Amino acid sequence: MQERSDKLTTSLNKRELERKLDIEKKLEGKQQLIAEHEQLEYFTKSFNEKRIAVENALKSSSSVDVVDLPKHFDTIYKSILMLQKYGASSKIFLRMYDVERCHQTVHELTVRTRELEENLIPKKKFGFKNKKPNITDLNGRSEDVVDYAAPHQSYEESICGFENRKNETLIMQKSDVYKNDVVLQNIENCLIKLYGTPSTLHLNHVRNCLILSGPVSTSIFAEYCNDLKMAIACQQLRLHSSSDIHIYLHVTSRAIMEDCNNILIAPYNFKYDSLKEDFVTAGLDQNINNWTSVDDFNWLNLQKKSPNWSILQEHERISDWDNFTLPCGKFPD
Amino acid sequence: MGFLTVLRKMKQKEKEMRILMLGLDNAGKTTILKRFNGERIDTISPTLGFNIKTLEHRDYKLNMWDVGGQKSLRSYWRNYFECTDGLIWVVDSADKRRLDDCRAELFTLLKEERLAGATLLVFANKQDLPGAFSATELQEILELAKIKTHHWKIIWCSAVTGENLLSGIDWLIDDIAARIFTLD
Ligand SMILES: Nc1nc2c(ncn2[C@@H]2O[C@H](COP(=O)(O)OP(=O)(O)OP(=O)(O)O)[C@@H](O)[C@H]2O)c(=O)[nH]1
Ligand SMILES: [Mg+2]
């Protein structure tokens, strides 16, 4: 008798517990939903407030004293940067749609600010004396011995890009690369496509690959690369200790190389839907391309062209990247 | 009166400072200089030799020397050491792979007798990049605490956004001024 009633109580208790747990679970779910909703609402609200602040600052630009304009625009750029960082830090609970909207807003504001800045600020600032930059004559180089300190490896590296890859197709989309420092490191036999506008791009130990990239806002820095074909656009290209590379290049200032050989250059020919727009976003002029002027730091002879690079003959240029395969064979899909 | 005294007196009258900007290639030296001077920064090429700019800031005349940082140019750096009041060492805070190289070059430089007494400002540049190390992290990685021979400070900045450039330069000027223009 005692035993039965015990059993009954136990099962009753159990049911009661389950019921409670179930309610809690539902409640939790509901609260979670509410929290998510509130978070999103809060985000949208404060994002908009920040956006409006930037817009107001832009509107007030015409009444700012010319002398104070650089500072004024600096503040605006800073606010836009904060806006971008705010969006990036909230990515976890934002929907794809919101993320896109944030990018769009940041992009539009940046372009508007840049246009306004160019219109309002005269080329030369008041109060400063400018001397024309001088270029030195560099002859008679000598060797320098550098005392290299012990390497430091205790800092964890988390990169935006790819590392230690082989025989793969690697693709990054607009939102992955936007304003980021993208790194490609220790990569072999890969097809790499970067759509959109990284802030900067680093290539290190990349071999036998095809790299196609959208416009990079600042510089591309490549070191220890061999047997590449790449179509890249940037403000500066800096190529070091590399060889056997075909570069389809758009560069708005200048390309340089150091300790390189067998570099062949052609004009940029990577095409995708939003390329034109991306040039604007990156702040690169699509009409200025200095792809034919490469400075070789190992060849400071102005009379004769460096033997380390040349222009890729037209009939040797590849025009269709979609059907291109690397010598090593096919790429996995 | 020795040469140095004459030089110091001359500088004192003109309130002139000679500032040398060095650092690895691609660190952003030229961009910092142009940004500070209110010029466009989107047409800058890697520096083949050097740039000089004379700027007036606060009451001072700053002779800024910006020398190219490519490996093949570093052996020429020493041609610019003489009479340097302030050294600006520019670091690409996001170029994690070359920080060892960066530290080694900096410490080689600091051993230079002709730079003894110069104030050192380390600019932790490119802070707008998400992957950038902070100034505090860089201070540790570059082992700046080991520097006992120079007044130094590390300051974060972004030449692209222009953020914090002014506070860096202002610190440098104040430190130099306290040293040269108060002597007699
Ligand atoms: N994202 C970002 N890029 C920067 C910043 N400062 C400079 N850059 C970019 O970095 C690249 C190199 O800048 P430069 O000013 O030419 O570098 P440098 O130190 O003068 O290089 P050398 O003349 O070769 O010694 C350029 O493409 C700049 O636009 C910054 O604060 N943030
Ligand atoms: Mg330069």
Side-chain angles (χ1 to χ4, degrees):
Chain A
M1 190 66 179
Q2 183 63 33
E3 206 175 287
R4 260 185 71 193
S5 104
D6 271 358
K7 248 190 193 157
L8 194 65
T9 348
T10 321
S11 81
L12 273 177
N13 280 344
K14 203 173 150 207
R15 271 193 58 191
E16 176 65 6
L17 194 70
E18 274 170 1
R19 197 178 64 86
K20 272 189 184 158
L21 279 177
D22 195 43
I23 291 173
E24 259 170 40
K25 215 161 138 191
K26 275 186 187 146
L27 208 67
E28 216 172 69
K30 214 166 166 185
Q31 268 165 354
Q32 174 103 22
L33 260 179
I34 293 170
E36 270 171 16
H37 188 69
E38 276 176 355
Q39 245 177 339
L40 191 62
E41 211 165 87
Y42 178 78
F43 172 82
T44 315
K45 191 162 161 277
S46 45
F47 188 87
N48 277 334
E49 279 167 6
K50 289 183 216 285
R51 176 181 55 83
I52 289 165
V54 172
E55 280 172 352
N56 287 339
L58 281 175
K59 275 184 206 139
S60 74
S61 300
S62 51
S63 57
V64 174
D65 199 297
V66 181
V67 188
D68 298 326
L69 274 176
K71 207 172 157 210
H72 172 72
F73 281 110
D74 280 353
T75 317
I76 295 180
Y77 281 123
K78 197 164 151 187
S79 316
I80 297 177
L81 188 71
M82 296 300 289
L83 198 62
Q84 190 204 346
K85 281 193 174 157
Y86 185 55
S89 64
S90 311
K91 239 181 184 168
I92 318 163
F93 63 83
L94 293 182
R95 297 159 297 184
M96 245 347 262
Y97 168 76
D98 302 307
V99 175
E100 277 299 313
R101 284 267 314 265
C102 288
H103 278 316
Q104 195 58 31
T105 309
V106 167
H107 172 208
E108 280 167 14
L109 288 175
T110 312
V111 171
R112 269 176 62 191
T113 312
R114 192 176 292 126
E115 281 171 3
L116 205 60
E117 188 186 23
E118 277 178 9
N119 287 337
L120 291 178
I121 298 188
K123 285 269 155 59
K124 224 169 166 186
K125 208 177 152 192
F126 296 119
F128 286 120
K129 275 187 202 157
N130 291 325
K131 267 190 198 164
K132 246 193 144 173
N134 293 330
I135 298 294
T136 37
D137 180 16
L138 298 165
N139 286 317
R141 287 184 292 127
S142 64
E143 292 277 30
D144 226 12
V145 182
V146 179
D147 180 14
Y148 287 96
H152 215 288
Q153 245 124 33
S154 56
Y155 283 84
E156 203 182 303
E157 306 216 342
S158 64
I159 59 160
C160 170
F162 301 102
E163 220 173 358
N164 308 323
R165 301 297 190 98
K166 229 176 186 178
N167 310 322
E168 282 181 72
T169 295
L170 309 169
I171 296 179
M172 288 180 92
Q173 297 296 344
K174 238 179 209 200
S175 57
D176 302 325
V177 302
Y178 181 65
K179 290 214 172 187
N180 253 316
D181 39 334
V182 177
V183 179
L184 305 175
Q185 192 152 253
N186 298 326
I187 297 181
E188 211 175 314
N189 301 340
C190 287
L191 164 62
I192 303 154
K193 286 192 192 181
L194 309 174
Y195 294 101
T197 59
S199 179
T200 173
L201 173 61
H202 279 249
L203 311 177
N204 177 34
H205 290 284
V206 181
R207 281 197 47 217
N208 197 40
C209 290
L210 169 64
I211 302 169
L212 303 171
S213 169
V216 175
S217 311
T218 64
S219 59
I220 297 181
F221 186 98
E223 203 168 15
Y224 310 117
C225 293
N226 304 93
D227 302 303
L228 301 184
K229 294 204 190 314
M230 53 186 183
I232 49 176
C234 54
Q235 185 223 338
Q236 297 179 349
L237 171 65
R238 294 158 175 270
L239 198 61
H240 299 268
S241 311
S242 299
S243 65
D244 308 298
I245 303 183
H246 289 193
I247 308 174
Y248 295 74
L249 177 66
H250 186 106
V251 63
T252 56
S253 79
R254 232 162 162 51
I256 63 109
M257 55 193 236
E258 190 176 48
D259 306 324
C260 292
N261 63 68
N262 198 19
I263 308 296
L264 293 163
I265 318 248
Y268 186 62
N269 65 354
F270 180 38
K271 292 196 173 63
Y272 59 93
D273 281 348
S274 58
L275 181 70
K276 207 170 166 181
E277 216 178 292
D278 284 354
F279 262 96
V280 178
T281 309
L284 299 184
D285 192 333
Q286 204 169 2
N287 300 315
I288 300 178
N289 186 0
N290 300 320
W291 65 281
T292 50
S293 47
V294 180
D295 286 323
D296 181 353
F297 276 67
N298 304 107
W299 193 264
L300 297 163
N301 180 340
L302 296 175
Q303 270 76 51
K304 261 166 84 185
K305 200 193 127 292
S306 155
N308 298 320
W309 71 275
S310 54
I311 285 173
L312 186 64
Q313 293 306 307
E314 251 169 80
H315 67 270
E316 285 174 291
R317 294 176 194 165
I318 292 159
S319 51
D320 180 12
W321 293 115
D322 288 336
N323 293 312
F324 177 77
T325 44
L326 284 176
C328 70
K330 280 209 169 103
F331 294 112
D333 284 314
Chain B
M1 226 173 357
F3 172 68
L4 277 179
T5 330
V6 174
L7 197 75
R8 199 171 279 145
K9 280 259 149 73
M10 262 166 53
K11 279 187 175 170
Q12 199 159 354
K13 213 163 102 215
E14 300 243 309
K15 286 218 167 186
E16 197 174 322
M17 292 177 183
R18 183 182 144 102
I19 294 170
L20 179 60
M21 296 178 81
L22 294 174
L24 300 190
D25 49 300
N26 198 42
K29 298 177 288 297
T30 311
T31 311
I32 287 179
L33 188 59
K34 297 228 171 178
R35 186 43 128 159
F36 189 66
N37 199 27
E39 289 175 61
R40 288 186 68 137
I41 58 164
D42 54 0
T43 51
I44 296 170
S45 300
T47 309
L48 247 168
F50 65 88
N51 302 302
I52 320 171
K53 251 179 225 306
T54 305
L55 325 174
E56 269 157 31
H57 180 59
R58 290 161 46 183
D59 250 348
Y60 299 99
K61 194 168 160 193
L62 308 178
N63 290 317
M64 310 274 285
W65 294 69
D66 156 35
V67 187
Q70 305 292 336
K71 249 192 220 140
S72 44
L73 297 183
R74 292 181 203 161
S75 52
Y76 297 100
W77 284 357
R78 63 162 90 91
N79 300 345
Y80 303 88
F81 292 162
E82 220 70 63
C83 307
T84 297
D85 300 308
L87 177 66
I88 301 180
W89 182 257
V90 183
V91 183
D92 175 348
S93 312
D95 187 0
K96 303 183 168 167
R97 221 176 35 78
R98 292 202 297 161
L99 286 175
D100 290 330
D101 204 2
C102 175
R103 181 184 52 235
E105 292 286 4
L106 174 62
F107 277 89
T108 310
L109 207 60
L110 293 178
K111 279 186 228 144
E112 280 293 335
E113 233 170 87
R114 281 173 298 162
L115 288 175
T119 300
L120 169 69
L121 166 66
V122 180
F123 259 142
N125 190 32
K126 306 204 185 182
Q127 289 294 322
D128 56 292
L129 297 175
F133 275 130
S134 71
T136 323
E137 285 168 319
L138 280 176
Q139 175 166 333
E140 203 176 310
I141 298 168
L142 298 177
E143 301 174 12
L144 299 183
K146 282 189 183 164
I147 304 173
K148 307 290 180 206
T149 45
H150 297 69
H151 281 188
W152 63 269
K153 190 176 172 112
I154 181 165
I155 287 185
W156 67 271
C157 72
S158 163
V160 160
T161 65
E163 275 177 283
N164 235 19
L165 290 181
L166 213 57
S167 52
I169 305 276
D170 280 339
W171 174 81
L172 184 70
I173 291 178
D174 287 338
D175 191 83
I176 297 170
R179 200 155 36 77
I180 4 182
F181 301 127
T182 52
L183 281 178
D184 223 303

